[in-house]
Amino acid sequence: MRHLLGLLSCILLISSTVLSQAPKTSSPADIYHSIEKLNFLGTALYIAAHPDDENTRLISYLSNNVKARTGYLSLTRGDGGQNLIGTELRELLGVLRTQELLAARRVDGGEQLFTRANDFGYSKHPKETLEIWNKEAILGDVVRAIRKFKPDIIINRFDHRTPGSTHGHHTSSAMLSVEAFDLANDTNAYPEQLSATNPWQPKRLFFNTSWWFYGSEENFKKADKTNLLQMDVGVYYPMLGKSNNEIASLASSQHLCQGFGRLTTRGSENEYIELLKGDLPNDKSNIFDGIDTSWSRVKGGKEVGDILYKVENNFNFKDPTVHLPELAKAYGLIQKIPDTHWKNRKTQELVAIMTAIMGLHLEATTKTPSSTPGETVSIDLEALNRSAFKVILKSVRINEEKVSTTPITLHNNNAYKNGVNFNIPTNTSFTSPYWLLEKGDLGIYKVKDKELIGLPETPRAFTVNFTIELAGETIPISRPVRYKYARPDKGELYQPFEILPQATAKFKDKVLIFADAAPKRIPVTIKAHKDSIKGSIALTFGAGWQIDKSQQEFFIAKKDDEQTVYFTLTPPATENETFITPILKLNGQEIKKELVTIAYDHIPTQTVLLPSEAKVVRLNIEKAGENIGYIMGAGDEVPTSLAQIGYNVQLIDPASITAESLSKYDAVVMGIRAYNVVDELEFKQRFILEYVKNGGTVIVQYNTASRWRDQFEKIAPYELTISRDRVTNENSEVKIIAKNHSLVNFPNKITTDDFNGWVQERGLYFPNEWSPEFTPILEMSDQGEKSTKGSLLIAPYGKGNYIYTGLSFFRELPVGVPGAYKLFSNLLSVGKDKVVSKEKIKG
């Protein structure tokens, strides 16, 4: 692994394109644009806290107009947010958002970096954030990023001087950046990093300000702008056929799971940055003014520049191949540059340009998406020179294993093809996000190999190294081994080639609720990742629980096939929580992993290996009613959770809603952010309220304020104003203020103990104003803040009841929080206490 990582930072790794997409093709305009960037030796780093915090307008401007190497350091992977396109949350959401960031960078031309910080959820103050993150560790990650990326310019998205005025993660990202600006060049700071990096002092530090930070556009116009630089980021690029704003809009629209798809903007638009540290440029429209960004900044670079500036000034758009001899000569000179940082960086850029000019197609593909350690996989190699320029393929290696050492001339448009059988070493690591290989803490991921810190992805296990000779220069070029296939409805596709265990096992449900002492039949699905696997499976479980079989044998003949086995689990008589884990035993190995696949069209398919386990909860819970209708919003797992305690949950197609169609349900639940994302509700709201009026119960889970159409200004039967109020500390005190209300008494008695064990937060987007028809049930607040009573409200309407709650049931139920189940059961049972009383009287 360490050797492979070394390849990443040297000239041997010249990556082609995103692992799941077809090889990139470049027009002469694209090649010329790359040559312009090749001749600019300046670097900028943008720093913020989350995916979608980045200013894609400024990143694109720096990359495509200024031509600087530009990176975005996102301190977190966005693990604590919501998901508008699927059910992935927490770690899996972080994997998805990582890929969306990489997709955005492929559009705007930037690069992506990270720290180990875990997005643990909304934080109201940087003091809390930095305590949970472990400030010294994350500060060290920022220092490491600066030392490795070596930016001349750093730009903070947020203001370090305003703690408590915005998300604590936001302010913390700026505070850490300000501190790291000086520490990166201090040899006494994080000296353990200096074996793999060098001290580095950026020249300038800026804050990306705007009128918003001044309260109004009028205030901004009056403000002292002495330390502000202004840039028009709406510039049009004739060579690319797009404006900077168009590129930026496309980039930010890659954040689909956060609902950031947006209209494209065009035209002049100003961005402002405030100088925080360093010298103020004389030219306030040029962020790099006064910094040498020419080839002369590096020893031995002038000779390279003399060649490459000439190529840029006299570029032949009709036949770029005429420049190959000069480019090859520049390549040779770059290899003599003593500054390894610039040598490696500019070698990578130059080789990409030369391969684009030649139309040099190099790839290594398999016909299978995965394999296992010890197996033999067939790899198809292809090398194709689509130019009249002479290219010799000198050798081919898979990692360090030789495949071909006989030189072959790659004649114009005549492909070299070779199929080889490659034995995967038995000690090959499984493919999975490196930051999830070990269990981390609430605020920071655990990464054993320090060389991985900061990388957006785990390096691929296998690369094929093609060594070519061009104009007398020997040039190594690497390509990752990828899976290539075709689908009738989509054509040719690529995705990463993965290394997996021989088999994995998973439970259908991640939480199993035992509402009484009755046993449950637990299905466990085993998936084979190679042919003919034979072994046994057993379950581990906690004290007080009983299992019917100690282990079961299994055999699966074909790769990718599955087999489901069943265990009968009996809970203890009293309330209890524990975890069960399947253990697969194959050929002397024990496997405790499950495989999760994340597949969306806008990102490469991701495979994630996680510890396979399910939480089992023996819970003394009562419920009233049976049939629940659920209108899905942004995506959550609440319906599955409710089925765990015996409810018959049916998903409702919003288009089919009528008052009559809803009448069969004991209660109707609106999924999270339903009014924000389900357009049909604009026309169906009257039927939902009519259902309540006729005696039904509707439970509306949280929505974000002002993110629905005007017609939804009245989502409730009475006045209700949703605010940004939230209680972010999951341990904050909760008071029950309506102690006699049925919501906290029927069918389960709710006490403050039922708010123990909550995760990430209490709730969010609580109403702060409501009509007198509503009764507030709970009161809560974070430390030092005014208490809020808007987390759970109920109002009678006609014969039924309308409930609005900002409590984060969508987080609590899927992880098996007992009190959350009891409380939600009470919400669903509203009004049923009268029915129960009547039945008792009749009895």
Side-chain angles (χ1 to χ4, degrees):
M1 176 61 77
R2 288 186 179 275
H3 178 73
L4 179 61
L5 291 173
L7 292 177
L8 290 174
S9 61
C10 72
I11 62 174
L12 292 180
L13 184 60
I14 310 298
S15 61
S16 55
T17 183
V18 60
L19 295 170
S20 71
Q21 296 179 344
K24 181 182 177 182
T25 58
S26 300
S27 69
D30 295 326
I31 294 169
Y32 179 74
H33 187 64
S34 296
I35 291 174
E36 289 182 303
K37 297 182 75 170
L38 177 68
N39 282 334
F40 189 93
L41 278 71
T43 306
L45 182 62
Y46 199 89
I47 298 179
H50 310 107
D52 84 6
D53 282 346
E54 80 273 27
N55 185 339
T56 55
R57 296 183 301 272
L58 196 48
I59 290 175
S60 178
Y61 179 84
L62 292 170
S63 177
N64 296 301
N65 188 71
V66 178
K67 308 299 190 301
R69 182 191 184 194
T70 306
Y72 173 45
L73 174 60
S74 177
L75 267 61
T76 77
R77 297 175 185 266
D79 329 69
Q82 286 86 51
N83 184 356
L84 294 184
I85 62 174
T87 59
E88 293 87 2
L89 290 175
R90 293 303 308 148
E91 293 86 354
L92 296 178
L93 180 60
V95 174
L96 171 56
R97 290 189 170 181
T98 293
Q99 291 302 318
E100 290 185 336
L101 273 174
L102 290 170
R105 299 295 79 76
R106 289 192 291 272
V107 174
D108 60 31
E111 299 176 44
Q112 189 60 51
L113 300 84
F114 291 97
T115 73
R116 290 169 292 170
N118 188 350
D119 178 3
F120 56 84
Y122 192 89
S123 175
K124 294 180 177 178
H125 200 279
K127 181 179 179 181
E128 177 197 41
T129 299
L130 295 174
E131 286 177 355
I132 293 175
W133 274 355
N134 182 344
K135 178 191 172 183
E136 288 306 308
I138 302 305
L139 176 60
D141 288 359
V142 179
V143 169
R144 183 190 300 269
I146 294 172
R147 286 172 172 173
K148 292 179 71 173
F149 202 69
K150 301 188 183 305
D152 301 298
I153 303 296
I154 294 178
I155 303 174
N156 292 342
R157 181 69 182 97
F158 300 104
D159 191 348
H160 68 288
R161 298 161 296 194
T162 56
S165 63
T166 182
H167 196 324
H169 296 183
H170 292 169
T171 310
S172 295
S173 70
M175 293 169 66
L176 293 174
S177 174
V178 170
E179 197 167 344
F181 181 86
D182 297 317
L183 291 178
N185 199 39
D186 184 351
T187 57
N188 294 316
Y190 303 98
E192 70 281 359
Q193 297 179 6
L194 299 179
S195 61
T197 64
N198 295 311
W200 180 257
Q201 182 57 63
K203 304 294 192 302
R204 294 169 184 147
L205 175 66
F206 294 94
F207 160 48
N208 185 192
T209 190
S210 69
W211 68 262
W212 188 87
F213 291 95
Y214 288 77
S216 69
E217 292 187 60
E218 183 179 356
N219 289 343
F220 184 63
K221 289 178 182 178
K222 298 176 182 176
D224 180 8
K225 297 183 177 61
T226 303
N227 286 335
L228 263 59
L229 275 66
Q230 176 181 331
M231 293 163 283
D232 183 356
V233 296
V235 62
Y236 180 72
Y237 305 124
M239 199 67 64
L240 301 180
K242 291 185 179 70
S243 70
N244 189 72
N245 280 344
E246 288 175 298
I247 294 172
S249 297
L250 289 170
S252 63
S253 291
Q254 302 306 306
H255 296 296
L256 296 183
C257 75
Q258 302 188 77
F260 266 56
R262 62 185 178 94
L263 292 172
T264 300
T265 58
R266 299 170 181 86
S268 180
E269 185 172 359
N270 289 322
E271 281 287 343
Y272 297 88
I273 56 176
E274 176 190 355
L275 182 70
L276 300 177
K277 292 191 175 187
D279 61 305
L280 188 69
N282 292 323
D283 181 356
K284 288 192 175 183
S285 65
N286 180 4
I287 193 172
F288 282 92
D289 183 44
I291 299 173
D292 187 358
T293 58
S294 72
W295 277 100
S296 296
R297 81 176 289 174
V298 297
K299 185 178 180 180
K302 184 180 182 305
E303 294 81 359
V304 177
D306 289 343
I307 297 172
L308 295 180
Y309 292 135
K310 181 180 178 182
V311 171
E312 179 182 343
N313 294 331
N314 300 283
F315 187 73
N316 189 324
F317 286 89
K318 290 186 176 180
D319 184 14
T321 60
V322 300
H323 300 297
L324 284 172
E326 298 161 285
L327 295 176
K329 183 178 180 181
Y331 173 88
L333 291 173
I334 289 174
Q335 305 319 300
K336 299 176 182 178
I337 290 177
D339 187 326
T340 56
H341 170 74
W342 285 114
K343 179 178 73 173
N344 295 341
R345 177 64 195 174
K346 292 304 175 180
T347 293
Q348 181 175 331
E349 293 179 25
L350 180 54
V351 172
I353 290 169
M354 290 191 289
T355 56
I357 288 175
M358 292 182 288
L360 183 61
H361 175 74
L362 303 171
E363 76 171 18
T365 60
T366 68
K367 294 181 176 64
T368 179
S370 67
S371 192
T372 63
E375 275 196 294
T376 298
V377 62
S378 176
I379 298 178
D380 294 325
L381 306 172
E382 183 173 359
L384 177 63
N385 169 29
R386 289 170 285 189
S387 74
F389 207 82
K390 183 179 179 180
V391 178
I392 299 174
L393 180 61
K394 297 185 70 175
S395 67
V396 181
R397 295 170 179 262
I398 301 177
N399 285 13
E400 293 303 304
E401 183 176 316
K402 295 179 181 179
V403 174
S404 171
T405 55
T406 303
I408 299 169
T409 299
L410 298 178
H411 297 288
N412 186 8
N413 217 30
N414 289 323
Y416 159 81
K417 295 184 179 181
N418 188 14
V420 299
N421 292 322
F422 178 70
N423 297 317
I424 298 174
T426 56
N427 62 349
T428 304
S429 298
F430 301 136
T431 304
S432 200
Y434 70 85
W435 61 96
L436 299 179
L437 294 178
E438 298 186 53
K439 186 175 180 62
D441 298 324
L442 173 64
I444 187 170
Y445 284 115
K446 186 176 181 180
V447 180
K448 192 173 183 179
D449 188 341
K450 303 306 180 187
E451 293 183 58
L452 292 169
I453 295 173
L455 296 180
E457 300 178 281
T458 304
R460 308 314 300 178
F462 300 108
T463 58
V464 174
N465 304 308
F466 299 87
T467 301
I468 66 169
E469 184 179 305
L470 173 67
E473 294 292 339
T474 298
I475 304 173
I477 307 173
S478 290
R479 295 289 186 261
V481 176
R482 298 184 293 171
Y483 167 50
K484 182 169 74 171
Y485 63 107
R487 277 178 46 179
D489 59 334
K490 292 189 177 181
E492 185 179 75
L493 297 169
Y494 291 78
Q495 72 182 54
F497 173 66
E498 315 284 31
I499 305 300
L500 300 175
Q502 297 177 55
T504 51
K506 66 177 180 180
F507 295 105
K508 177 185 176 184
D509 299 307
K510 302 303 291 181
V511 173
L512 298 162
I513 304 296
F514 291 74
D516 52 38
K520 283 190 177 184
R521 199 164 177 245
I522 310 299
V524 188
T525 301
I526 306 166
K527 183 168 186 176
H529 302 300
K530 62 178 295 187
D531 291 339
S532 300
I533 63 166
K534 181 179 181 181
S536 65
I537 180 172
L539 291 189
T540 65
F541 51 92
W545 297 75
Q546 297 178 6
I547 201 84
D548 64 331
K549 303 181 185 77
S550 60
Q551 68 175 35
Q552 299 186 55
E553 305 298 317
F554 67 87
F555 172 77
I556 305 177
K558 292 294 184 181
K559 178 179 180 178
D560 295 327
D561 197 4
E562 296 180 338
Q563 180 179 332
T564 300
V565 299
Y566 295 86
F567 292 88
T568 299
L569 186 64
T570 303
T574 58
E575 291 195 346
N576 184 286
E577 297 178 40
T578 189
F579 287 89
I580 56 175
T581 298
I583 301 178
L584 299 177
K585 296 182 180 180
L586 297 95
N587 303 319
Q589 293 183 334
E590 286 192 354
I591 302 170
K592 303 178 183 179
K593 297 288 187 180
E594 71 168 304
L595 177 66
V596 181
T597 300
I598 303 175
Y600 294 96
D601 287 343
H602 66 300
I603 65 166
T605 298
Q606 300 295 298
T607 59
V608 185
L609 289 171
L610 295 175
S612 184
E613 63 181 16
K615 185 178 182 180
V616 291
V617 181
R618 168 67 174 96
L619 181 62
N620 291 322
I621 186 171
E622 300 289 340
K623 66 183 184 67
E626 296 293 336
N627 299 314
I628 307 300
Y630 202 93
I631 301 171
M632 191 64 75
D636 58 64
E637 297 182 8
V638 172
T640 301
S641 300
L642 297 181
Q644 285 285 339
I645 54 175
Y647 282 107
N648 174 29
V649 184
Q650 297 180 15
L651 297 183
I652 299 174
D653 177 5
S656 70
I657 292 175
T658 64
E660 183 178 355
S661 70
L662 298 180
S663 64
K664 62 184 177 181
Y665 298 113
D666 294 303
V668 172
V669 182
M670 311 293 288
I672 62 172
R673 299 184 67 178
Y675 288 109
N676 297 141
V677 301
V678 182
D679 292 339
E680 291 96 331
L681 292 181
E682 174 185 342
F683 312 104
K684 302 298 182 178
Q685 176 69 356
R686 62 189 180 94
F687 297 124
I688 294 171
L689 294 181
E690 186 177 343
Y691 161 75
V692 179
K693 195 172 185 178
N694 291 337
T697 296
V698 163
I699 301 166
V700 179
Q701 297 181 85
Y702 97 93
N703 287 261
T704 55
S706 71
R707 289 194 181 182
W708 50 63
R709 301 186 185 189
D710 292 341
Q711 289 85 341
F712 284 136
E713 286 184 358
K714 193 172 182 180
I715 64 170
Y718 310 109
E719 292 302 316
L720 183 73
T721 302
I722 297 173
S723 71
R724 297 183 65 86
D725 290 351
R726 61 204 302 162
V727 175
T728 62
N729 187 337
E730 62 271 30
N731 298 312
S732 289
E733 181 184 6
V734 176
K735 296 179 181 178
I736 299 173
I737 56 176
K739 294 182 179 181
N740 296 323
H741 199 285
S742 65
L743 269 188
V744 291
N745 288 285
F746 178 83
N748 303 286
K749 178 67 176 178
I750 302 300
T751 71
T752 54
D753 288 344
D754 289 306
F755 293 93
N756 294 337
W758 284 50
V759 299
Q760 186 159 327
E761 62 199 355
R762 291 297 189 195
L764 62 170
Y765 293 102
F766 298 159
N768 62 352
E769 295 180 4
W770 50 84
S771 71
E773 286 83 359
F774 281 103
T775 298
I777 304 298
L778 306 173
E779 182 177 1
M780 61 185 70
S781 67
D782 283 322
Q783 186 176 7
E785 294 189 354
K786 183 180 178 181
S787 63
T788 173
K789 298 179 180 180
S791 63
L792 179 57
L793 303 171
I794 182 170
Y797 181 62
K799 299 177 181 179
N801 290 279
Y802 177 96
I803 300 171
Y804 188 94
T805 179
L807 294 172
S808 58
F809 288 108
F810 73 103
R811 296 195 191 280
E812 314 311 322
L813 298 183
V815 298
V817 177
Y821 274 92
K822 290 181 180 180
L823 180 54
F824 209 96
S825 177
N826 282 17
L827 304 188
L828 296 171
S829 303
V830 165
K832 306 297 189 299
D833 53 336
K834 299 176 182 178
V835 175
V836 171
S837 298
K838 289 180 180 179
E839 290 177 350
K840 286 182 178 179
I841 292 172
K842 289 180 180 179

